[in-house]
């Protein structure tokens, strides 16, 4: 690999208003991710690429034109648009923009075989972006300034007219502004309202005093009067002396009479002084009421001139608004001129790209170590995948090697028709009994009956011979047929094996698959009572047994419907009694049970039989399923495994066609 250099430069992109010199700092401190990303993407535009190529005179650089020349889009000497487009596309493919989300920094790199070219391109790109930002900002300011200047004269004339109208109206109505927030008319109105409020308060107060003239001694003016206080004190002293003299001298004594006259005089003086105070209150009340009436009239008269003040305020606000608008616009024009003259930008270069002394890539040591590591990981992964793919059993030899059992029976793929085995091709296997009613066959459509000379029928004969004929002295009488998983073909094998055994003795086929009963349906039985009814005690054995008229010596005990809690039915005394009666009545008994890895029904029955046939399917049954099934059977101490049947083996493909 040819060495590639990627020099890196860094830009800082701040929000608008964060320039070193800025008259508007409203955007300072705000990080707009979209704005930063947009400005960074400008580095990868066609215009920026073309300007960089032209500024650095890269029109004939072999690195920029290498892809264009290879693709035949132009020669190295012409200036065709195709060549320019190809050069821009190749140039942009070498640019890389890296943005740090936690900051305002943007990294710019350019991949080239020449380290100087890489650094020059990065620095030129960053410089062009800063210059472009300055030009765009200056142009926008100049356009705004020109537009604002065009409206400034009109606003100035409008401001002068509104100020003139305000002055003339103030002179006419004699309203003058004391300060920006007040005027003479407003102060006059305020003073009148204040005096009217005071007069109303005084009238109300005097009116409240006069309401208590029937008890003048309670008036505060009377109680606080110094003269009345002195007279009241003297009256109290005289009354005390009078009372004492009456006790000493009697009521007709001259001294007593003198004191009585003195007390009467003091009382008259107090009444006279109180009357004077009450008269003063009445006088003050009348004065306050008259003053309130006059002030109310003055206020009413002044209120009629509110329209004058309202018009004055309207003119004043209009004049102030025109002046504020003019001042703001004038300030903006001046600021725009200053900002346009400045060269401050919110985008500036933090670090320039430098010429690298060693290539960025390839990192040969890292690549070699990475290749070794990936090779090891890939090898281990391939080993696991291969082991996973080879986890299925395919041949009888694999079953023997995996399980250690020599008794393995191979059943080939079941063909729909016998003549389909010719020509070196096979159809997909059939795991269920065929039911073609147009074949002229009467009764159950079993391949052992339809095609007795087919390879699959011969395989069933081989299994029958191996289990029951080759060892007549210890042949198992009751045999359980099961499989590790569904879809292995155990029911098909059990049905055909029962037909084969019926040719040699009385045979009973029991459908103990209470999870998914299929035997009765396969033999076209439409009974309403089955094995589950016998186990529940609602039917006798004779009521659930179905002798087959089409097949001599074959009796079927079907199951009618899927049954819940089937495991309880297959572990009680009724199933044990059934096994004993079947042993006495038949020569051969086959029991079809559910898959033992999914249900415990088969494990329960396996302890009541003489032997177990375990059915697997070539290319489908995992090795672990076979061994796990054998372990479960061993744990419950089941009957011995008589044979493992490998169903669906493509023998034609393995050994070729054989015919007489």
């Amino acid at each position: 690999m040819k060495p590639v250099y990627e020099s890196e430069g860094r830009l800082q992109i701040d929000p608008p208003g964060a320039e070193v010199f800025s008259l508007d700092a409203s955007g300072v401190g705000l990080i707009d991710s979209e704005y930063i990303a947009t400005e960074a993407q400008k580095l990868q535009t066609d215009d920026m690429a073309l300007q960089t190529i032209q500024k650095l005179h890269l029109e004939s650089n072999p690195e920029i034109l290498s892809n264009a020349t290879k693709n035949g889009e132009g020669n190295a000497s012409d200036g065709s648009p195709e060549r320019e487009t190809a050069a821009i596309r190749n140039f942009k493919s070498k640019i890389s923009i890296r943005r740090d989300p936690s900051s305002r920094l943007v990294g710019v790199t350019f991949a080239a075989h020449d380290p100087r070219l890489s650094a020059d391109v990065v620095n030129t790109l960053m410089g062009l972006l800063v210059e472009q930002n300055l030009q765009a900002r200056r142009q926008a300011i100049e356009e705004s300034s020109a537009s604002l200047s065009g409206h400034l004269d009109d606003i100035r004339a409008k401001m002068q007219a509104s100020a003139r109208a305000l002055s003339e109206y103030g002179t006419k109505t004699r309203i003058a502004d004391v300060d920006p927030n007040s005027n003479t008319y407003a102060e006059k109105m305020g003073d009148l309202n204040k005096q009217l409020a005071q007069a109303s308060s005084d009238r109300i107060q005097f009116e409240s005093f006069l309401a208590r003239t029937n008890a003048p001694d309670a008036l505060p003016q009377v109680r606080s009067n110094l003269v009345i206080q002195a007279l009241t004190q003297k009256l109290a002293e005289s009354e005390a002396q009078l009372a004492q003299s009456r006790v000493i001298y009697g009521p007709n004594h001259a001294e007593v009479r003198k004191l009585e006259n003195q007390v009467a005089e003091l009382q008259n003086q107090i009444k006279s002084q109180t009357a004077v105070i009450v008269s003063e209150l009445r006088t003050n009340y009348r004065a306050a009421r008259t003053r309130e009436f006059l002030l109310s009239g003055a206020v009413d008269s002044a209120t009629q001139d509110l329209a004058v003040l309202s018009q004055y305020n309207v003119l004043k606000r209009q004049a102030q608004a025109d002046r504020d608008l003019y001042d703001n616009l004038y300030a903006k024009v001046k600021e725009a001129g200053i900002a346009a003259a400045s060269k401050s930008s919110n985008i500036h270069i933090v670090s320039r790209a430098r010429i690298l002394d060693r290539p960025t890539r390839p990192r040969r040591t890292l690549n070699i170590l990475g290749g070794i590591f990936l090779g090891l990981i890939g090898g281990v992964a391939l080993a696991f995948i291969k082991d996973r793919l080879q986890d299925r059993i395919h041949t009888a030899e694999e079953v023997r090697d995996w399980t250690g059992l020599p008794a393995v029976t191979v059943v080939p793929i079941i063909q729909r028709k016998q003549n389909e085995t010719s020509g070196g091709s096979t159809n997909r296997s059939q795991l269920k009994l065929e039911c073609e009613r147009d074949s002229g066959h009467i009764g159950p459509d079993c391949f052992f009956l339809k095609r007795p000379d087919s390879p699959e029928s011969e395989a069933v004969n081989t299994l029958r011979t191996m289990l029951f004929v080759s060892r007549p002295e210890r042949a198992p009488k009751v045999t359980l047929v099961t499989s590790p998983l569904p879809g292995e073909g155990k029911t098909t094998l059990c049905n055909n094996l029962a037909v084969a055994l019926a040719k040699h003795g009385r045979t009973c086929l029991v459908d103990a698959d209470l999870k998914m009963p299929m035997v009765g349906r396969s033999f076209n039985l439409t009974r309403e009572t089955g094995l589950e009814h016998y186990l529940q005690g609602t039917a006798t054995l004779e009521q659930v047994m179905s002798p087959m008229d089409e097949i001599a010596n074959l009796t079927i005990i079907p199951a009618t419907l899927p049954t819940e809690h089937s495991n309880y039915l297959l572990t009680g005394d009724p199933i044990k009694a059934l096994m004993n009666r079947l042993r006495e009545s038949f020569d051969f008994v086959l029991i079809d049970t559910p898959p033992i890895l999914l249900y415990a029904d088969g494990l329960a029955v396996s302890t009541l039989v003489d032997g177990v046939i375990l059915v697997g399917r070539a290319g489908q049954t995992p090795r672990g399923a076979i061994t796990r099934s054998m372990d479960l059977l061993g744990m419950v101490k089941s009957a011995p495994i008589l044979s493992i049947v490998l169903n669906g083996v493509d023998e034609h493909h393995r050994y070729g066609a054989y015919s007489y």
Side-chain angles (χ1 to χ4, degrees):
M1 295 177 64
K2 192 174 181 179
V4 176
Y5 297 85
E6 291 184 351
S7 298
E8 182 180 18
R10 290 193 175 185
L11 288 167
Q12 180 175 339
I13 302 178
D14 297 322
E19 299 86 354
V20 176
F21 174 80
S22 175
L23 296 174
D24 182 14
S26 59
V28 177
L30 301 177
I31 299 179
D32 189 348
S33 299
E34 294 182 357
Y35 173 78
I36 297 175
T38 302
E39 293 297 321
Q41 288 300 319
K42 291 181 180 179
L43 293 167
Q44 293 181 311
T45 59
D46 291 350
D47 292 341
M48 292 289 287
L50 184 59
Q51 292 180 31
T52 304
I53 292 173
Q54 293 175 351
K55 188 171 183 178
L56 296 179
H57 306 288
L58 303 178
E59 297 85 352
S60 302
N61 190 286
E63 289 198 43
I64 304 300
L65 300 175
S66 58
N67 292 340
T69 304
K70 291 178 182 178
N71 297 332
E73 297 177 347
N75 299 323
S77 58
D78 63 6
S80 61
E82 294 81 3
R83 176 172 170 268
E84 182 179 282
T85 302
I88 292 175
R89 184 166 56 249
N90 188 29
F91 182 87
K92 290 170 58 180
S93 66
K94 298 176 179 293
I95 300 175
S96 177
I97 307 298
R98 182 181 58 82
R99 178 172 169 262
D100 185 3
S102 61
S103 67
R104 303 176 185 178
L105 297 180
V106 174
V108 185
T109 60
F110 184 83
H113 299 303
D114 183 3
R116 181 175 295 277
L117 175 62
S118 176
D120 291 344
V121 168
V122 172
N123 293 329
T124 303
L125 270 174
M126 294 191 299
L128 287 174
L129 180 63
V130 175
E131 183 64 27
Q132 187 182 75
N133 179 264
L134 283 173
Q135 291 179 358
R137 181 166 171 264
R138 187 181 300 113
Q139 182 178 0
I141 292 175
E142 291 176 354
E143 293 176 355
S144 300
S145 178
S147 177
L148 292 175
S149 298
H151 298 285
L152 192 60
D153 295 337
D154 296 338
I155 295 176
R156 183 189 299 110
K158 186 177 180 180
M159 178 196 68
Q160 293 174 351
S162 60
R164 190 181 308 110
L166 177 64
S167 177
E168 292 176 354
Y169 191 81
T171 302
K172 179 180 177 181
T173 58
R174 297 181 181 180
I175 299 177
D177 290 335
V178 179
D179 55 58
N181 298 321
S182 179
N183 53 63
T184 56
Y185 191 86
E187 288 187 353
K188 177 181 177 182
M189 285 293 299
D191 186 51
L192 286 174
N193 287 323
K194 185 177 180 180
Q195 293 182 23
L196 177 60
Q198 184 63 40
S200 298
S201 176
D202 294 342
R203 177 188 61 78
I204 293 171
Q205 184 179 17
F206 289 134
E207 187 174 1
S208 65
F209 291 154
L210 292 176
R212 291 182 288 178
T213 53
N214 53 352
D217 294 339
L219 292 174
Q221 290 84 354
V222 173
R223 298 176 64 181
S224 62
N225 189 274
L226 298 178
V227 175
I228 292 178
Q229 291 178 359
L231 292 175
T232 302
Q233 184 177 2
K234 289 181 179 181
L235 177 61
E237 293 175 353
S238 298
E239 288 178 346
Q241 292 176 2
L242 175 62
Q244 185 178 6
S245 297
R246 283 176 179 175
V247 173
I248 297 174
Y249 301 109
N252 298 320
H253 194 270
E255 184 65 23
V256 172
R257 292 179 180 178
K258 178 181 177 181
L259 291 174
E260 289 178 348
N261 292 332
Q262 186 176 355
V263 168
E265 180 64 22
L266 290 174
Q267 290 177 345
N268 291 332
Q269 289 181 2
I270 291 175
K271 290 180 180 179
S272 177
Q273 191 66 30
T274 302
V276 172
I277 294 174
V278 172
S279 177
E280 289 180 354
L281 286 175
R282 289 194 177 94
T283 302
N284 291 334
Y285 169 73
R286 287 192 295 270
R289 187 176 62 179
T290 303
R291 186 165 174 265
E292 180 185 10
F293 177 76
L294 294 176
L295 287 174
S296 297
V299 170
D300 293 340
S301 177
T303 304
Q304 296 177 359
D305 296 334
L306 285 178
V308 176
L309 180 61
S310 176
Q311 181 64 25
Y312 180 81
N313 289 332
V314 170
L315 293 175
K316 183 178 180 181
R317 286 194 297 269
Q318 182 64 37
Q320 186 64 37
D322 292 340
R323 174 169 292 279
D324 292 342
L325 178 60
Y326 176 79
D327 293 341
N328 291 334
L329 186 60
Y330 184 77
K332 291 293 184 182
V333 172
K334 292 300 182 182
E335 290 177 1
I338 297 173
S342 69
K343 294 185 178 181
S344 178
S345 174
N346 62 311
I347 301 177
H348 57 276
I349 299 173
V350 176
S351 63
R352 301 180 65 83
R354 58 185 181 83
I355 301 175
L356 301 179
D357 56 352
R358 61 182 62 184
T360 306
R361 62 176 189 270
R363 299 180 180 179
R364 291 182 173 84
T365 303
L366 183 61
N367 291 347
I368 292 172
L369 294 177
I372 294 174
F373 177 75
L374 292 178
L376 292 174
I377 296 298
V380 173
L382 288 175
F384 276 107
I385 293 173
K386 183 178 180 181
D387 182 72
R388 180 64 178 171
L389 294 176
Q390 293 180 350
D391 185 50
R392 305 295 190 266
I393 56 175
H394 296 275
T395 64
E397 290 77 9
E398 292 181 1
V399 177
R400 294 189 185 96
D401 295 339
W402 194 258
T403 62
L405 292 177
V408 178
T409 304
V410 175
V411 177
I413 295 176
I414 302 174
Q415 303 296 326
R416 288 184 181 274
K417 296 180 181 179
Q418 186 174 358
N419 57 3
E420 290 177 355
T421 58
S422 61
S425 64
T426 59
N427 288 351
R428 58 191 301 268
S429 61
Q430 305 298 310
L431 299 182
K432 297 181 181 179
L433 291 175
E434 301 173 358
C435 298
E436 299 177 358
R437 293 300 168 211
D438 58 349
S439 61
H441 182 77
I442 300 175
D445 196 356
C446 178
F447 68 78
F448 194 85
L449 296 177
K450 289 186 60 177
R451 301 186 297 275
D453 297 329
S454 63
E456 54 269 25
S457 298
E458 291 298 331
V460 173
N461 280 325
T462 301
L463 177 62
R464 174 187 59 81
T465 302
M466 181 179 64
L467 296 179
F468 303 102
V469 179
S470 61
R471 298 176 293 178
E473 69 283 353
R474 53 187 181 92
K477 202 167 191 179
V478 181
T479 305
L480 182 141
V481 180
T482 187
S483 63
L485 299 170
E488 310 287 2
K490 63 174 180 60
T491 302
T492 299
L493 179 69
C494 190
N495 294 338
N496 286 273
L497 182 58
V499 175
L501 290 173
K503 295 182 179 296
H504 298 275
R506 294 170 301 170
T507 303
C508 181
L509 176 58
V510 181
D511 189 359
D513 189 351
L514 301 183
K515 299 295 184 182
M516 188 179 294
M518 294 296 296
V519 173
R521 187 184 307 175
S522 301
F523 284 91
N524 301 323
L525 297 178
T526 58
R527 299 182 61 90
E528 296 182 356
T529 57
L531 177 64
E532 67 274 16
H533 298 91
Y534 172 78
L535 297 178
Q536 293 171 356
T538 59
T540 63
L541 181 60
E542 289 74 14
Q543 290 176 339
V544 299
M545 294 175 63
S546 299
M548 297 298 297
D549 298 334
E550 300 87 348
I551 306 173
N553 297 327
L554 179 60
T555 301
I556 297 177
I557 301 179
T560 58
L561 296 173
T563 306
E564 296 182 356
H565 310 296
S566 59
N567 185 257
Y568 296 100
L569 297 178
L570 296 175
T571 55
D573 294 334
I575 188 65
K576 297 178 182 179
L578 176 64
M579 293 294 105
N580 294 330
R581 294 188 60 180
L582 293 179
R583 290 176 190 274
E584 297 174 356
S585 303
F586 295 94
D587 299 322
F588 308 105
V589 179
L590 289 180
I591 303 176
D592 183 22
T593 62
I596 60 176
L597 290 185
L598 301 182
Y599 307 102
D601 299 3
L603 295 175
V605 181
S606 66
T607 60
L608 306 176
V609 299
D610 301 329
V612 177
I613 297 177
L614 189 61
V615 181
R617 179 163 179 79
Q620 177 176 322
T621 304
R623 297 174 180 175
I626 294 289
T627 56
R628 178 58 180 165
S629 300
M630 296 175 63
D631 293 340
L632 290 176
L633 291 172
M635 290 172 61
V636 298
K637 297 181 180 180
S638 69
I641 299 176
L642 303 177
S643 177
I644 295 179
V645 177
L646 186 59
N647 191 19
V649 178
D650 191 358
E651 291 289 342
H652 183 276
H653 177 72
R654 287 169 50 85
Y655 303 111
Y658 180 80
S659 61
Y660 291 97

